[in-house]
Amino acid sequence: MVSEHPFPWLLPASALMVIFGLYPLLYAIWLSLQRKHPVTRKLSFAPSYNWSKLLGDERVWNAMGNTLVYTSVALVLQLVLGMLIALLLDSDRKGYGLLRAMMTLPLVIPPAVTAMMFLLMLNGSFGVLARGIIATGLLPPGFSILGTASTAMAGVLLAEVWQWTPFMVLIMLAGLRSLPKEPFEAAAIDGATATQVFFKLTLPMMSKVIAIAVLIRGIDLFRAFDYVKVMTDSGPGTATETLTSYAGRIYFGNADFPYASTIALLTLIIVIFVSFVFMKVFKVKL
Amino acid sequence: MEQPRHLRILRDIAAVFVTFMFMFPILWWALTSIKPISAVFDKDRVVFFDFVPTLINYAVTLLGLSRSGIAIDQGIGMGVGGAEAYDSRRAILDSVVVSIGATAATMAVAIFAAYALSRMAFRGRAGYLNWVLGQRFMPPIAILIPLVTIYKDAGLRDSDSLYGGYFGLMMIYALMNLPIALLLMKSFFDDVPKDVDEAAMIDGATRWQSFSKVVLPMVRGGVAASAVLVFIFSWTEFLLSLFLTTSIRTVPVKIQTFVTSTGNEWGFIAALGTAAAIPSFIFILLVQRHLVRGLTLGSLKE
């Protein structure tokens, strides 16, 4: 007999979280307080070394800026497009169910494969998307979108927005479908325009759903890695380097675990802090 | 509110057009996978349908046909990579083993914890839920760097330890998927009224019997939906698999090796990419009904 006590029920999950989650996290904190000697490769305790290095490292600030741009641009585009497409597809008429099901397909392609897909389509000489843009005259022939510092981020964002807008569409559709009918009928009787209905009724009533979607998407966007790694490898130069990819580059490049850990922890601190504030301000409860 | 007919048609056209825009990259990808090399790399025009379809890319990546043999057949000369470089059967096997193992481990761990968190009142319950949720918020990179060292020391990372590689990836995927599986299962358990357990226990069932014989069968659909989502997330994962193992290569990592210094093997990349997406497509269509609940960790229901 298993007792009424929750302990045995929680034991496996707790063991997993302690061994593979908590222990490495504490290890990361310990690492961030060590200094790796560049020649002897020995670690020595130097609690402020990495953290002060971090504050003075321009590449950290560049990566932070890129991560913020990436997160906010993708979030706004996905939210707006997601809402518009959800409104468009929210119909009970024949065929719309199929369109909604098709809309979910991009979500399950491995992001590393999606990145390859866009790498091919954005290739300046034979990529179908790049050629389409070049044909409109906006870009010169043979232009490399991902190889040019000023446009690389936009190229990476294209893949990101394509893959994850359907996430927003799905959640907004669920939100739209759970709205009560009465206020909308009343508004129709009062002769409200579609725009008024959307801004005065739909949007406020969807605020909880939107907040949850923004929170979940936001924390995933902030860890951006896959598209950047595959499509531009953080380049050209550091034009698309995010916090996660910078930490990865340091790790693989100079094997400076302590400093890479410190940057990774910075990412963690920002995510926890921002999502905590967000949840308090918008009263979101997951 | 009935829309006028012409507006309705306009909306239908817009809906189909937008959906098509989102389908286009997938279609293009599938198309690329059956194109001969010359049609992919045509610098003069974009080749849509005027090419002779070929299954050669699938034969090389999925069946292990020799690449250099094909290169000679197509008159390109000797292939760059070795014969095995594009044979992805091992990678597919690795991905299948890791994803199924990770799904089984995640679900086994999550179901018990979710039941306790749904049914039992105890001190620290809210704190425990926050701990689980905290795992979801944590960027993987934060634990990844120490994990590489930990895995190395434990013999889970290096090339001589195949089972270690499997085990290591399964466990970290289980950790990453635990929040979604646990919170989703909790929301399914919460849907079953507490009276059900109480009635069973009044009839003499133990807590364990009430869980395994009564409540668990009632949430079968939820278990299936959660397992499918965990499988998809494990199947598509890239960062952890890239860093944490050298003994095995999952498909998303394998596909990156087709990018070579002499040029990208787009045909092979597209073939393997298309093949890798198909299981996910089937699975996602099976769990449409619970998708929103799953993606929002149980907090929104459809």
Side-chain angles (χ1 to χ4, degrees):
Chain A
M1 198 196 111
V2 178
S3 71
E4 189 56 33
H5 202 280
F7 180 75
W9 298 84
L10 297 178
L11 184 63
S14 311
L16 183 70
M17 289 197 291
V18 169
I19 299 170
F20 291 91
L22 195 58
Y23 170 53
L25 186 61
L26 295 174
Y27 197 150
I29 294 170
W30 178 82
L31 269 178
S32 79
L33 305 176
Q34 305 290 316
R35 176 182 182 173
K36 187 172 182 181
H37 195 282
V39 181
T40 61
R41 298 182 163 206
K42 288 246 165 48
L43 296 179
S44 58
F45 186 66
S48 62
Y49 176 74
N50 289 306
W51 292 95
S52 54
K53 183 175 168 187
L54 183 116
L55 293 176
D57 183 354
E58 269 179 40
R59 265 177 83 178
V60 166
W61 300 107
N62 171 60
M64 178 105 75
N66 285 341
T67 309
L68 287 176
V69 167
Y70 186 91
T71 305
S72 47
V73 172
L75 205 50
V76 169
L77 285 176
Q78 288 169 355
L79 190 61
V80 172
L81 285 173
M83 178 60 100
L84 290 174
I85 297 171
L87 287 168
L88 187 64
L89 295 183
D90 181 25
S91 164
D92 289 323
R93 295 219 320 285
K94 227 176 97 184
Y96 277 77
L98 178 68
L99 294 182
R100 286 194 295 267
M102 284 166 77
M103 230 26 218
T104 63
L105 296 183
L107 283 174
V108 298
I109 296 174
V113 171
T114 301
M116 289 293 231
M117 226 147 117
F118 279 83
L119 196 58
L120 171 66
M121 292 193 300
L122 291 174
N123 184 299
S125 58
F126 50 83
V128 65
L129 278 183
R131 283 178 119 156
I133 301 170
I134 289 165
T136 63
L138 289 172
L139 296 173
F143 186 84
S144 173
I145 294 169
L146 294 170
T148 307
S150 56
T151 50
M153 185 60 98
V156 175
L157 278 165
L158 192 63
E160 166 70 50
V161 169
W162 176 78
Q163 179 139 43
W164 294 101
T165 295
F167 174 93
M168 289 292 193
V169 173
L170 267 179
I171 291 177
M172 296 303 147
L173 270 169
L176 286 173
R177 307 211 131 205
S178 65
L179 294 177
K181 292 264 183 299
E182 297 80 22
F184 293 91
E185 283 160 4
I189 293 166
D190 293 346
T193 66
T195 324
Q196 283 174 328
V197 170
F198 178 76
F199 284 105
K200 295 262 157 72
L201 276 180
T202 316
L203 216 47
M205 289 168 90
M206 293 268 286
S207 58
K208 185 198 163 212
V209 174
I210 294 171
I212 289 175
V214 166
L215 178 66
I216 294 177
R217 205 71 277 284
I219 56 177
D220 281 347
L221 280 165
F222 204 79
R223 58 177 70 154
F225 177 78
D226 297 10
Y227 307 108
V228 169
K229 169 74 185 159
V230 176
M231 293 174 73
T232 59
D233 201 8
S234 311
T238 57
T240 54
E241 192 165 74
T242 63
L243 284 169
T244 296
S245 73
Y246 182 37
R249 263 179 147 183
I250 289 192
Y251 177 79
F252 280 122
N254 17 357
D256 188 350
F257 316 145
Y259 191 48
S261 266
T262 311
I263 295 165
L265 284 174
L266 175 72
T267 317
L268 175 70
I269 293 166
I270 296 171
V271 170
I272 300 272
F273 177 74
V274 173
S275 44
F276 182 78
V277 170
F278 184 89
M279 287 168 86
K280 279 273 174 269
V281 171
F282 292 95
K283 298 183 179 66
V284 184
K285 226 188 143 294
L286 278 177
Chain B
M1 196 168 46
E2 202 43 40
Q3 286 170 322
R5 194 181 146 77
H6 66 277
L7 272 182
R8 236 169 46 205
I9 293 171
L10 211 64
R11 180 189 184 173
D12 289 352
I13 293 170
V16 170
F17 178 74
V18 167
T19 312
F20 175 76
M21 293 249 294
F22 276 84
M23 289 304 103
F24 177 76
I26 299 175
L27 297 174
W28 187 254
W29 200 232
L31 206 60
T32 304
S33 74
I34 54 167
K35 276 182 190 174
I37 293 175
S38 56
V40 178
F41 288 99
D42 199 318
K43 283 195 163 59
D44 303 323
R45 65 205 171 96
V46 178
V47 177
F48 280 93
F49 298 108
D50 48 342
F51 61 88
V52 184
T54 168
L55 287 177
I56 213 86
N57 296 318
Y58 288 95
V60 170
T61 50
L62 305 184
L63 303 176
L65 214 74
S66 160
R67 190 216 178 282
S68 6
I70 296 155
I72 293 162
D73 287 349
Q74 292 188 347
I76 304 172
M78 286 300 287
V80 261
E84 298 87 40
Y86 301 97
D87 179 0
S88 307
R89 287 176 295 180
R90 240 316 281 290
I92 293 170
L93 178 72
D94 285 349
S95 263
V96 169
V97 170
V98 168
S99 303
I100 290 178
T103 307
T106 312
M107 293 312 294
V109 167
I111 287 173
F112 295 116
Y115 180 77
L117 289 164
S118 166
R119 284 306 193 263
M120 299 174 188
F122 57 91
R123 264 184 59 199
R125 185 175 162 279
Y128 197 89
L129 279 169
N130 281 333
W131 185 22
V132 174
L133 198 59
Q135 294 287 340
R136 177 68 180 76
F137 282 40
M138 184 183 62
I141 189 79
I143 57 165
L144 192 51
I145 289 153
L147 264 180
V148 175
T149 313
I150 295 169
Y151 273 27
K152 245 185 211 159
D153 294 345
L156 298 177
R157 185 168 188 268
D158 296 314
S159 48
D160 53 337
S161 164
L162 175 63
Y163 295 108
Y166 283 142
F167 178 75
L169 266 197
M170 280 175 197
M171 287 298 117
I172 195 65
Y173 284 2
L175 176 78
M176 286 300 158
N177 285 309
L178 184 69
I180 193 169
L182 198 159
L183 295 169
L184 190 52
M185 280 317 300
K186 179 180 169 292
S187 97
F188 282 111
F189 281 130
D190 287 345
D191 287 353
V192 178
K194 280 197 170 131
D195 309 354
V196 173
D197 305 56
E198 278 156 22
M201 288 198 286
I202 286 167
D203 289 344
T206 62
R207 177 56 93 173
W208 173 255
Q209 285 166 337
S210 142
F211 161 75
S212 62
K213 299 258 161 64
V214 183
V215 182
L216 191 57
M218 292 173 78
V219 296
R220 271 186 317 230
V223 173
S226 317
V228 163
L229 287 175
V230 174
F231 180 87
I232 292 173
F233 289 133
S234 307
W235 182 255
T236 57
E237 207 287 326
F238 176 60
L239 171 73
L240 299 164
S241 154
L242 182 70
F243 276 66
L244 280 180
T245 175
T246 55
S247 59
I248 57 174
R249 264 199 192 129
T250 58
V251 172
V253 177
K254 173 78 182 172
I255 215 167
Q256 308 304 322
T257 65
F258 296 177
V259 176
T260 68
S261 52
T262 46
N264 302 348
E265 294 287 355
W266 285 115
F268 301 144
I269 295 171
L272 184 56
T274 307
I278 289 169
S280 297
F281 284 171
I282 296 169
F283 278 135
I284 201 76
L285 293 175
L286 291 177
V287 292
Q288 285 284 317
R289 206 157 59 86
H290 299 302
L291 200 51
V292 166
R293 198 201 277 227
L295 293 174
T296 58
L297 303 141
S299 54
L300 290 181
K301 290 164 193 175
E302 232 172 335

